[in-house]
Amino acid sequence: MVLSSLLSKRSFFSRGLLVVGKQFSCPSSEDIVFKAICVNLRHRRWKFLDQVFPSLTNALVSRVVGEFRNSPQLALEFYNWVGEEKGFQLSLASCCGLVHVMVRSRRFDDALSLMEKLILVNGMTPLEVLDGLLDSCEFRDSCPAVFDTLVRACTRCGATEGAYLVIKMLRMEGRLLTIHAWNNFLSQLLKLNEFVRFWNMYKEMISYGYIENVNTFNLVVYALCKECELLQAISTFYRMLKSGIRPNIVTFNMMIDGACRMGDIELALKLVEKMGVMSEYYVSPKTITYNSIINGFCKLRKVEFLEEVVNEIIKVGAKPDVRSYATMIDGYARKGCLEEALRLCDEMVERGLTPNTVVYNSILHWLYSEGNTRGASLVLSDMVDKHVFPDQFTYSTVIQGLCRNGYVMQAFRFHSQVLEKNVIEDTFSHNILINYLCKSNDLSGALQLVGSMFVHGLVPDSVTYGALIDGYCKVGKLESVVQVYDKMVKVEKEPNIVIYNSILHGLCKEMSVDVARRMIDSLKSMGLSDSITYNTLISGYCSHGDIEEAFALFLEMRKVGRLVNTVTYNTLINFLCKCGCFQQAKELMKRMVLEGMIPDFVTYTMLITRSAKNCSSDEVVELHDYMVLKGVVPYGPTYRAIVIPLLGEENEQTRV
């Protein structure tokens, strides 16, 4: 009994010691460092933190970030101090922990920056980042928005495929992904012009039961407007209204802009007029809305309506902006009303707006087009005086304008001055001069200019090589063409169809039509041939006198579909006329009409001129009447020289 009593007292005593031991156990060194960091971080005592830095581990960093989840600014400052200032190699876990803190605090820009750095700087794949976020979910009180933010980070980094893999993986994991992430992904597809994939992904999203919001509908409307499916866009708009979703200004602006781009200005104006009613007076037109209308009128060359649009902008309480004036100025100048365009520049300044580079570039372009080089020089000086800095388009416009008006030496002098300032960043201005030299058969000068490009750190592009190839082809130097082509391939500048067509033209000019034919077969296998390719070879066969091969190629073009055009028919009609096969030429013209192609003034001139030499007056007039009835606009000189005298003779015979 005594023994048992003693034993029970001992066991009670032992348990008491254990409890006391637990209460007064020595904290680990990591706990001490952690608490010290937290206390000093709250007061931003960075000098003290410098002393404990050698003891830091990624586990400690994660603990500190988690501790300050309700003080996100301090968590971010600590993380940046550790990683950027002290150069500590931070782990994926610590970064993902901070991402959760930032998203939970709605600091989405900071969260995006962290994830973009992981993908772009650290080279991690979006799925690796997703794994890190999933592993730290429970510890950081995460919210679903963190996954939306990852999708957005992927699209901002250009990792579109990675964004889709994240969406797919989250669905497999049973994690919630909101409509906002899908909208972001779909928006990126539209920015990349991947319309087919956009529609496939949109259908996939709908199949998962997501309910579209205003941004989703806007993306659909935008895609349809871009594809010129305006009626379907309006149908989607009405479906949006039926769903109880109120359209915003973006919805209307896209439809109005789409209508203007398709030339349906009446529909655009009707949408502006009904905007208030259709949005329950939630939306009213803004300056950007009217800018689309201005652009629409300018495209239709109806500049006489622009003043009314400006008055309407002012009437609704908005103000024309720089873009409004830039569009109107270009519209007036394009129609040849340069004085009105310059008046608008003055009006713009009076309204407190400063003309930008776009405005000046437009004025310069049209002044040079009209041959007013002195006026262009004054505008360029005014641009510099007003501290509006010229861009690459300005330099190219000036160089091209001077060359076009015969001031080649001035163009080269201006180009040299610009090169000295090291402000030319692309090959465009060089290419203008190289192209001019090639067209002037100054190929040695063109090659010197190509050498100058390398000196200034510019790499010739396909346009540069294309100009050289075209120049050598025109003078019949096919060996030089091959050399330039080889150089182009070595610097990995893949030739485009324009360059191949230049080479074909050179081959046909040198009567190497068999080589040209083999080249077309190779192009066909690469999917690079177009109408110009085939028309060039047909012209080569005709010049070579090989009518059978020319028509065999013509039939081949018809089988391919959409390759035969007016140029094809004109080439063959001209050849038949030269061979004296006038009746066959007329039959070919009639076949052209049957296939829905309207003969042009070239067809008209060839047939009327030839018929005047080989047919009676009545047949010439009959042919003229036939073509006019089919929509041909007669070529003035031919009509006056040949047809009008015959009509006079016909009237004389009628009076007799």
Side-chain angles (χ1 to χ4, degrees):
M1 285 290 291
V2 175
L3 184 61
S4 61
S5 175
L6 285 170
L7 285 171
S8 69
K9 284 179 182 178
R10 184 182 174 185
S11 62
F12 174 79
F13 182 70
S14 300
R15 284 198 299 275
L17 283 174
L18 281 171
V19 171
V20 172
K22 282 182 181 178
Q23 287 177 347
F24 295 98
S25 62
C26 289
S28 68
S29 59
E30 183 179 298
D31 289 339
I32 294 169
V33 173
F34 168 70
K35 288 178 181 177
I37 290 172
C38 291
V39 169
N40 287 280
L41 180 59
R42 283 190 178 91
H43 297 91
R44 290 183 170 85
R45 294 174 183 149
W46 301 106
K47 287 184 179 179
F48 175 83
L49 294 175
D50 283 336
Q51 296 173 23
V52 297
F53 173 74
S55 304
L56 273 182
T57 63
N58 268 300
L60 260 174
V61 173
S62 293
R63 280 184 70 185
V64 173
V65 167
E67 180 69 18
F68 285 89
R69 57 182 173 273
N70 294 322
S71 302
Q73 183 58 37
L74 276 174
L76 183 62
E77 285 180 26
F78 174 73
Y79 183 86
N80 289 335
W81 174 78
V82 173
E84 293 177 11
E85 192 172 322
K86 309 303 289 184
F88 186 79
Q89 192 67 37
L90 291 160
S91 67
L92 174 63
S94 58
C95 182
C96 288
L98 184 59
V99 168
H100 280 290
V101 170
M102 293 297 111
V103 172
R104 184 171 172 270
S105 306
R106 304 188 66 78
R107 296 179 58 145
F108 297 112
D109 287 340
D110 291 322
L112 282 168
S113 297
L114 289 164
M115 286 192 275
E116 284 173 8
K117 188 177 178 182
L118 286 174
I119 296 169
L120 294 175
V121 180
N122 297 1
M124 291 189 174
T125 66
L127 286 181
E128 286 174 333
V129 178
L130 176 62
D131 285 340
L133 292 172
L134 289 169
D135 289 343
S136 53
C137 266
E138 300 301 326
F139 181 64
R140 302 295 174 203
D141 296 331
S142 67
C143 60
V146 76
F147 304 120
D148 292 0
T149 311
L150 175 57
V151 172
R152 189 177 168 199
C154 290
T155 56
R156 283 198 356 177
C157 291
T160 313
E161 193 57 42
Y164 179 65
L165 290 174
V166 166
I167 291 171
K168 199 172 179 182
M169 184 61 70
L170 284 168
R171 182 161 180 81
M172 289 170 64
E173 291 276 339
R175 295 276 178 174
L176 179 64
L177 194 69
T178 70
I179 187 69
H180 306 298
W182 273 101
N183 286 345
N184 187 274
F185 176 61
L186 292 172
S187 175
Q188 180 66 13
L189 293 178
L190 290 178
K191 285 177 187 173
L192 296 171
N193 290 321
E194 294 186 21
F195 287 93
V196 174
R197 193 175 184 195
F198 167 82
W199 291 116
N200 290 335
M201 294 297 99
Y202 170 72
K203 289 173 186 174
E204 183 178 327
M205 181 194 78
I206 296 299
S207 71
Y208 294 149
Y210 281 92
I211 297 171
E212 299 162 277
N213 62 13
V214 64
N215 293 327
T216 320
F217 277 109
N218 282 348
L219 290 170
V220 173
V221 168
Y222 175 83
L224 290 168
C225 288
K226 277 287 184 181
E227 293 179 325
C228 297
E229 298 288 350
L230 195 56
L231 290 177
Q232 286 191 42
I234 292 171
S235 175
T236 301
F237 171 75
Y238 281 116
R239 181 165 64 86
M240 180 181 183
L241 294 176
K242 287 180 182 177
S243 302
I245 294 172
R246 183 184 288 167
N248 57 23
I249 188 65
V250 176
T251 320
F252 285 101
N253 285 346
M254 287 190 300
M255 292 191 296
I256 290 163
D257 187 61
C260 289
R261 287 179 186 278
M262 290 176 65
D264 196 344
I265 198 76
E266 288 184 16
L267 175 60
L269 290 169
K270 198 171 288 183
L271 285 167
V272 173
E273 184 187 347
K274 302 291 183 185
M275 188 184 288
V277 175
M278 290 192 287
S279 67
E280 297 177 351
Y281 297 97
Y282 177 72
V283 173
S284 59
K286 308 292 181 192
T287 302
I288 190 172
T289 314
Y290 287 107
N291 284 347
S292 293
I293 300 293
I294 289 170
N295 190 46
F297 276 125
C298 287
K299 285 198 167 190
L300 294 171
R301 300 174 74 84
K302 294 182 177 180
V303 292
E304 60 273 16
F305 294 100
L306 294 181
E307 193 174 338
E308 290 180 32
V309 180
V310 173
N311 291 335
E312 187 64 27
I313 295 175
I314 297 166
K315 185 180 174 182
V316 299
K319 291 181 180 178
D321 58 12
V322 173
R323 187 175 176 184
S324 314
Y325 278 101
T327 309
M328 289 191 291
I329 287 166
D330 189 68
Y332 275 111
R334 194 178 292 275
K335 203 174 178 182
C337 306
L338 258 175
E339 285 186 13
E340 183 62 23
L342 292 168
R343 186 195 67 76
L344 281 172
C345 285
D346 294 336
E347 182 184 303
M348 184 179 180
V349 174
E350 287 169 10
R351 289 184 182 273
L353 299 170
T354 304
N356 61 10
T357 314
V358 176
V359 174
Y360 278 107
N361 287 349
S362 177
I363 293 291
L364 283 169
H365 172 77
W366 293 109
L367 283 170
Y368 280 122
S369 296
E370 290 200 351
N372 189 352
T373 53
R374 178 172 171 73
S377 179
L378 291 171
V379 168
L380 186 62
S381 298
D382 183 65
M383 183 179 186
V384 174
D385 290 343
K386 289 199 166 64
H387 303 290
V388 179
F389 297 104
D391 60 10
Q392 305 301 312
F393 292 105
T394 316
Y395 302 132
S396 301
T397 301
V398 173
I399 291 166
Q400 192 168 42
L402 289 170
C403 285
R404 185 186 295 166
N405 287 284
Y407 296 97
V408 182
M409 292 305 297
Q410 288 90 327
F412 275 93
R413 199 177 300 124
F414 178 78
H415 185 251
S416 298
Q417 290 170 358
V418 174
L419 278 177
E420 286 173 9
K421 294 177 182 176
N422 292 319
V423 289
I424 289 185
E425 300 170 356
D426 57 26
T427 60
F428 201 73
S429 57
H430 276 88
N431 287 342
I432 292 167
L433 294 171
I434 289 166
N435 187 53
Y436 178 83
L437 291 170
C438 288
K439 287 187 184 299
S440 305
N441 294 333
D442 187 0
L443 292 164
S444 60
L447 287 173
Q448 285 179 9
L449 205 51
V450 171
S452 165
M453 290 176 73
F454 285 109
V455 170
H456 290 90
L458 299 171
V459 180
D461 57 17
S462 56
V463 178
T464 318
Y465 288 112
L468 291 171
I469 286 170
D470 189 54
Y472 280 120
C473 283
K474 281 176 180 173
V475 296
K477 292 186 176 181
L478 293 182
E479 288 183 6
S480 298
V481 169
V482 173
Q483 289 173 5
V484 174
Y485 180 85
D486 288 341
K487 282 181 185 176
M488 181 170 60
V489 172
K490 281 178 185 175
V491 294
E492 298 180 355
K493 297 291 179 189
E494 190 173 327
N496 55 33
I497 190 64
V498 176
I499 294 174
Y500 281 122
N501 287 341
S502 293
I503 297 172
L504 275 171
H505 180 74
L507 290 169
C508 291
K509 190 176 179 181
E510 293 298 303
M511 298 301 176
S512 303
V513 286
D514 292 336
V515 179
R517 174 74 235 200
R518 289 197 294 273
M519 187 175 173
I520 282 185
D521 290 337
S522 299
L523 291 175
K524 228 166 77 175
S525 65
M526 292 189 287
L528 279 174
S529 55
D530 64 2
S531 297
I532 297 171
T533 314
Y534 282 93
N535 287 340
T536 303
L537 186 54
I538 281 182
S539 180
Y541 279 132
C542 290
S543 300
H544 204 257
D546 200 336
I547 188 67
E548 288 185 8
E549 288 291 342
F551 272 93
L553 189 58
F554 170 69
L555 293 173
E556 185 181 318
M557 288 173 74
R558 292 185 68 191
K559 284 179 184 176
V560 173
R562 294 189 179 182
L563 283 177
V564 175
N565 57 21
T566 309
V567 176
T568 318
Y569 277 103
N570 283 347
T571 305
L572 292 169
I573 288 168
N574 184 49
F575 181 73
L576 289 170
C577 286
K578 283 183 178 178
C579 293
C581 305
F582 181 66
Q583 284 303 121
Q584 289 89 331
K586 280 204 302 186
E587 291 300 319
L588 193 59
M589 182 268 293
K590 288 178 180 177
R591 176 185 285 186
M592 179 183 181
V593 172
L594 286 171
E595 290 190 1
M597 287 182 220
I598 299 173
D600 59 13
F601 71 94
V602 177
T603 327
Y604 176 88
T605 299
M606 287 189 299
L607 289 172
I608 292 295
T609 305
R610 186 61 60 174
S611 65
K613 294 178 181 178
N614 297 277
C615 306
S616 66
S617 302
D618 291 341
E619 287 176 309
V620 175
V621 173
E622 184 185 343
L623 179 62
H624 162 82
D625 291 346
Y626 174 83
M627 285 196 281
V628 170
L629 286 170
K630 295 301 178 184
V632 178
V633 177
Y635 180 56
T638 307
Y639 176 70
R640 287 190 293 272
I642 298 174
V643 179
I644 288 179
L646 295 176
L647 291 172
E649 288 176 18
E650 191 178 80
N651 291 336
E652 286 291 330
Q653 291 169 6
T654 306
R655 281 199 294 271
V656 172

